Amino acid sequence: SEQPTEAANLLTVPAAQSTAEDVAIVFGANENSISLSADAGSSTVIVSLWVEHGALTVATGELLTFQKGDGVDDVAMAFSTIAPQLNSTLNGLVYTPDLNWSGSDVLTIDILVQPSGAQREALTESRTVPIEVLATNDAPQLSNLPNLVVNQGVTSASTSFDLADAETLSADLLVTVASSNQALLPDSSITVQA
């Protein structure tokens, strides 16, 4: 069978995108559309999209036949549809970075346009959109502290809790505690041990 012809202008993609950690990018929302040229006519198109450090969700799954993924929170997906439907599918495509991840990612889009009507040969194109996910300082996570009941006459009691931070090693965290009733329990009598 004949190899598809490499095309240069089937897909229009935006310039590099950036977002904060844990914040999604919606393509088509801020002049960052991904679109297929009208030159594809009403041909059947086969599309593959993937990223390395996040998930993709198409705007609509209408008239799509999936070969990989299902169009919702997929690291990679592949589907076929008709060319006029593709722009609706990609207008509103959502990229959601991995939780608490920051760094460089790339959205890759491969498309194959099948021969149809006056277009007598298959056309193919691959385009990429660089994505930069900017780090943010996540708040440390403290487990719920249980109420501590101490009977009269008891001089000490203890409780435990868990503390974690996505950006800081546990050994490097500084923990400060304070009493809400200094007369009953002065700060100086509270100690924290790892």
Side-chain angles (χ1 to χ4, degrees):
S1 66
E2 293 184 19
Q3 292 295 319
T5 302
E6 287 282 336
N9 297 302
L10 280 174
L11 286 170
T12 300
V13 298
Q17 302 290 295
S18 66
T19 188
E21 180 182 315
D22 300 332
V23 177
I25 296 173
V26 180
F27 289 92
N30 299 303
E31 298 183 5
N32 61 351
S33 298
I34 300 169
S35 61
L36 177 64
S37 166
D39 292 345
S42 59
S43 301
T44 297
V45 293
I46 299 170
V47 182
S48 296
L49 302 102
W50 68 92
V51 292
E52 296 292 327
H53 300 285
L56 300 168
T57 298
V58 294
T60 174
E62 187 177 335
L63 300 177
L64 305 183
T65 302
F66 282 92
Q67 288 82 44
K68 183 174 188 177
D70 62 5
V72 178
D73 292 331
D74 294 326
V75 172
M77 67 178 78
F79 57 84
S80 58
T81 188
I82 54 173
Q85 179 63 29
L86 186 59
N87 288 339
S88 296
T89 299
L90 297 179
N91 185 20
L93 175 72
V94 177
Y95 165 81
T96 304
D98 289 339
L99 187 64
N100 292 326
W101 179 84
S102 61
S104 298
D105 204 351
V106 176
L107 166 61
T108 302
I109 308 164
D110 286 350
I111 186 167
L112 172 67
V113 179
Q114 302 283 12
S116 173
Q119 179 197 318
R120 299 180 185 276
E121 60 184 354
L123 302 174
T124 186
E125 185 175 22
S126 183
R127 300 293 300 271
T128 59
V129 180
I131 298 172
E132 191 67 27
V133 179
L134 308 172
T136 58
N137 188 5
D138 294 313
Q141 300 297 309
L142 178 66
S143 64
N144 290 330
L145 285 169
N147 289 327
L148 183 61
V149 177
V150 180
N151 294 324
Q152 187 174 358
V154 175
T155 58
S156 69
S158 65
T159 187
S160 63
F161 60 90
D162 293 319
L163 179 64
D165 185 78
E167 290 88 18
T168 308
L169 295 173
S170 296
D172 295 333
L173 291 172
L174 175 63
V175 178
T176 303
V177 295
S179 170
S180 62
N181 186 333
Q182 293 295 320
L184 182 63
L185 180 65
D187 288 348
S188 60
S189 66
I190 302 173
T191 59
V192 177
Q193 295 178 327

